[in-house]
Amino acid sequence: MAQARAAGKTVALVPTMGNLHAGHMALVAAARKQADFVITSIFVNPLQFGPNEDLEAYPRTFDEDCKLLQSDGCDAVFAPSVEAIYGNNTEQQSRIHVPGVSDNYCGASRPGHFDGVATIVCKLLNLCSPDLAFFGLKDYQQFLVIQKMVRDLAMNVQIAGVEIVREENGLAMSSRNGYLSPEQRQQAAAIHQCLQATAAELRSGNRNFQALEASARTLLEQAGLQADYYAICNASNLQAATPGDDRLVILAAAYLGPSRLIDNLRLTL
Ligand code: PAF
């Protein structure tokens, strides 16, 4: 990387927690288009998992990940140990809190999650000093949290969002889909179907946001999922949508068997 920098090349970072799938590879492909040298980081970040979450079970597939990255032209992999990043006392670790956009939705359901994400992303950016960093828009709230952190702290990096990659049935790709049985994968497609149905209503002029949210929640439950949240929001600040908003995001999170799945759909009216 030092050589690439010295030669005046642009450097991109793709932060991941490994277990790479087509969604991650779309990030690498986008990074390759816009930068000369691409680093992918692989780090399962304990700081962003709650005490009863899946930190231990989270799939770790380092060798396969490296093969994929090599065949797709990633230039370097950065895979530090937990000790290298946090020493042996994570409690004493300074943390970044991004107020506002991190408060609701995943922030409310997973207390401390976005502080953990902001902290590790800040640290990875400091360690790798990229010109650009790429994040998937499936984690839309995370994307806004990182954008705000970078703006608020005057960090010298450009943040890019990459569109969601979906399975054939519409299910957004995620490492946590690996926890689902084949039947549950089919059931999980209901999330994307609900998002599309809500978007169609919004596009046809329906502004009864609460009724739209309630009927989507009912549809999710009928498909056997337990809705965590389903919310139509202003796409810039994640406040509840108002009839005057023209850039919206529909955010969804639902439990299915062992997985908590999230998805979203952004639309301009
Ligand atoms: O989106 C993820 O995989 C993680 O939250 C990230 C951005 C790599 C930070 O650990």
Side-chain angles (χ1 to χ4, degrees):
M1 187 181 85
Q3 272 172 349
R5 281 219 167 283
K9 295 188 171 175
T10 49
V11 175
L13 176 67
V14 179
T16 79
M17 298 206 300
N19 193 235
L20 303 182
H21 51 64
H24 296 112
M25 298 326 286
L27 302 181
V28 174
R32 269 166 48 79
K33 267 200 196 141
Q34 290 191 50
D36 304 313
F37 190 90
V38 178
I39 310 171
T40 299
S41 64
I42 298 179
F43 181 69
V44 182
N45 175 33
L47 229 56
Q48 71 188 74
F49 287 78
N52 299 317
E53 293 186 355
D54 55 345
L55 174 61
E56 298 306 325
Y58 198 86
R60 288 157 172 89
T61 51
F62 184 70
D63 293 343
E64 289 90 327
D65 292 347
C66 287
K67 275 186 212 140
L68 261 181
L69 290 170
Q70 206 172 16
S71 65
D72 270 43
C74 174
D75 299 289
V77 175
F78 178 49
S81 67
V82 173
E83 291 69 30
I85 292 291
Y86 294 129
N88 51 19
N89 191 345
T90 44
E91 288 311 307
Q92 287 302 309
Q93 168 72 40
S94 302
R95 284 160 208 244
I96 294 182
H97 177 67
V98 181
V101 282
S102 69
D103 294 344
N104 298 323
Y105 312 114
C106 285
S109 300
R110 305 181 66 190
H113 169 67
F114 286 123
D115 293 2
V117 169
T119 302
I120 190 59
V121 171
C122 174
K123 207 150 176 172
L124 292 169
L125 292 172
N126 285 341
L127 288 166
C128 300
S129 310
D131 302 289
L132 308 115
F134 289 76
F135 298 87
L137 291 173
K138 180 176 81 69
D139 301 295
Y140 185 70
Q141 189 176 10
Q142 166 175 285
F143 178 70
L144 292 188
V145 167
I146 292 165
Q147 266 193 331
K148 179 165 163 57
M149 172 185 76
V150 163
R151 239 187 354 255
D152 287 355
L153 302 181
M155 297 169 75
N156 194 16
V157 60
Q158 194 184 316
I159 300 300
V162 178
E163 199 40 77
I164 301 172
V165 179
R166 298 182 179 282
E167 310 266 0
E168 231 168 81
N169 70 2
L171 173 62
M173 292 222 179
S174 161
S175 298
R176 290 188 169 101
N177 293 350
Y179 300 148
L180 300 174
S181 68
E183 296 73 32
Q184 286 171 330
R185 272 182 189 247
Q186 289 312 316
Q187 267 177 284
I191 304 176
H192 184 51
Q193 286 157 11
C194 283
L195 291 170
Q196 284 181 310
T198 306
E201 284 293 326
L202 291 167
R203 287 196 185 99
S204 70
N206 189 337
R207 296 291 176 273
N208 195 342
F209 301 123
Q210 284 182 356
L212 289 172
E213 290 165 355
S215 74
R217 267 192 221 106
T218 306
L219 282 175
L220 286 174
E221 316 255 314
Q222 281 167 357
L225 289 90
Q226 194 197 328
D228 178 8
Y229 59 75
Y230 192 96
I232 305 168
C233 311
N234 176 302
S236 312
N237 56 23
L238 301 190
Q239 297 293 312
T242 61
D245 288 334
D246 55 357
R247 281 188 59 244
L248 298 179
V249 59
I250 314 164
L251 296 174
Y255 297 96
L256 177 61
S259 285
R260 180 177 177 281
L261 305 169
I262 64 171
D263 200 347
N264 70 79
L265 193 155
R266 282 143 279 121
L267 70 164
T268 303
L269 297 172

